Amino acid sequence: MAAALLALVLAGVMAVPPLAEDRTAERAPEPPALAPEPLPDLPALTPEPLPELPAGPEGLEAVEVSGVPEEGLDAARWALYRELLAPGEDGSFDAERPVTRAEAVQALYRLSGILVRVDACPWPDVPEAFQDAVAWAAACGVSGGVAEDRFGPERPVTRSQLAAMLRRFAVWRGEDVESRTAVSWDGGEIPAYAEEAVGWVMDRGLYEGMTDRGLYPDLPVSRLQLAGVLARLQKDRDPLAASLALPGGGAPSLSREKHEALGGAVAAAARRHGAVGVQVAVIENGAVTDVYHHGWAVQGSVPMTNAHKLRTASLSKVAVGLSAALLREEGVVDYDADIGGYWGVKTWKPVAVRDLLSHTSTLANREDIAWDHQGVKAQLASASGYAGGTPGDLRYWSYNNHAFGVLGQTLELAAGRYLDDVLEERLLGPMSADCGFAAGELEEPELVTPLYRRSALGRSAESVRSVRRWSAPGATGRQFAGGFTASAWDCAKLTALLAGDGCFEGVRLMEASSVALMEECRTLPDGTAQALPMRMARDFYGRDRLYYHTGSAYGVYNLLSYDPDTGDGVVVLTTGADGKKDGRGVYAVCGEISRAIYEAVA
């Protein structure tokens, strides 16, 4: 590093301890307030004046932007014109793509107007293009690394991390950072280091339009969201930023507007079908907007809340399907390769991941079938482990719980990771969702409910919580067919991701092509449409088409569904209901609730 430069220009700043945005155990120290003016006797410190721009937004019209919704055009053009963000490789703005930590620091560095050139960077993992910005941010106390020897430049910057960076940047510019806002939001706990920063950001209105449905402190920030945040931050210093039409909040929630009436419909359906407890979550235009609960979590003693967690039964298969799609994105699994390669065995019939997802694997599904690793491995190699027919042939479709156990094991063996970890890293962590296949490993296992067969106990909460991680990934498949444990609220976050074609709260967490693959349908001999692994039905609950999955076990009757054309969806989890089905083969208690909500939010 140009020692003379940083030592003289930023005297005393390098003594500030590293600021670790990813560490939540302790609050990062605040840097001292620094004068933003460069020192004139140091030629290495080069202030970059802002370009002359007209006072109004008309000068932005020449900036070419594609892939941005109409309401975000001003923010995207401004960020490109000010060179705070670079255009995407294909010319698109990449509005939904998560911003990396290096890109966030680079944007603030450019916004500072002071370009510090360095010969080296404090962290060896920072690419050359970002080294000046990262060294500047470290020296000014704006941002530190994720570890002593790592900055984590490619990691997505989260809402909490960005808030901390923004507040420290404001301190560096000598601005007032006092805030009396103590933020308490549904959607996740704010890390300790970011509590005051998040309060200040919300006070300043910098996250306007981003947090209408929940704060989601660990959710990445998209490029379009960052452009809007920076424009709001700069509006008192840049007349052009002040003149922009910036994205605001989403459309009002019709479910919330009709919450009392819909709550009555939920309660009436629950009573009509004798449910002990019910949870419902609503998705509108790809966002989780509302939740309902009724009855008991523990019959007669603990009322049901939105936070309680139920075993979701076969809705678990959607979580397995999401895991498969994520691992395919990472190049870990091939949907059409024989799974014997992942097991290290020659299969008696070639079976692919796609066959397992579509219930066309022809694997035997007997009561005495093995679930452990060695038993399944032997099954795959033996004729006795299969039923008749050719894998992948729709004529041999058969709903197969055991095949999903094998699928979960296959994915874990291919990845060398537990599926809970795959989902946590890519989806559940960013979404602040506490759910998973190993109920005993949840952050709040005490919220797991018992399951009821009518009024009798179907499975105790202790039994559900007894499911823990086995000693190695792929050791057993028992939990993958029906053991995913979650609240309706958290299930709805995953459903919203699908309804949003891989975007959640404006940020792309999954490729749109992966969702399209999961929605890929083939028609079964009985006329129904089988996707991977959901079903698709036409003219369902007043919608042209819905993707859906049902689930039942130990007295729970559940339904997950979404409309891919509008982004609306409903998740219903019940326990103790009568289990009657409607004319579409869906549990009536779930169908009645879903119909009422779909009609209300149309």
Side-chain angles (χ1 to χ4, degrees), residues 154-170:
E154 299 303 319
R155 290 190 185 185
V157 69
T158 68
R159 292 177 174 184
S160 292
Q161 292 171 6
L162 181 63
M165 290 180 185
L166 293 169
R167 186 169 184 266
R168 292 165 186 159
F169 181 72

Side-chain angles (χ1 to χ4, degrees), residues 418 469-473 475:
Y418 298 100
R469 291 188 178 185
W470 289 72
S471 58

Side-chain angles (χ1 to χ4, degrees), residues 462-488:
E462 291 74 17
S463 175
V464 177
R465 285 193 291 263
S466 70
V467 180
R468 309 296 294 262
R469 291 188 178 185
W470 289 72
S471 58
T476 180
R478 285 193 176 276
Q479 63 269 42
F480 298 120
F484 195 74
T485 301
S487 65

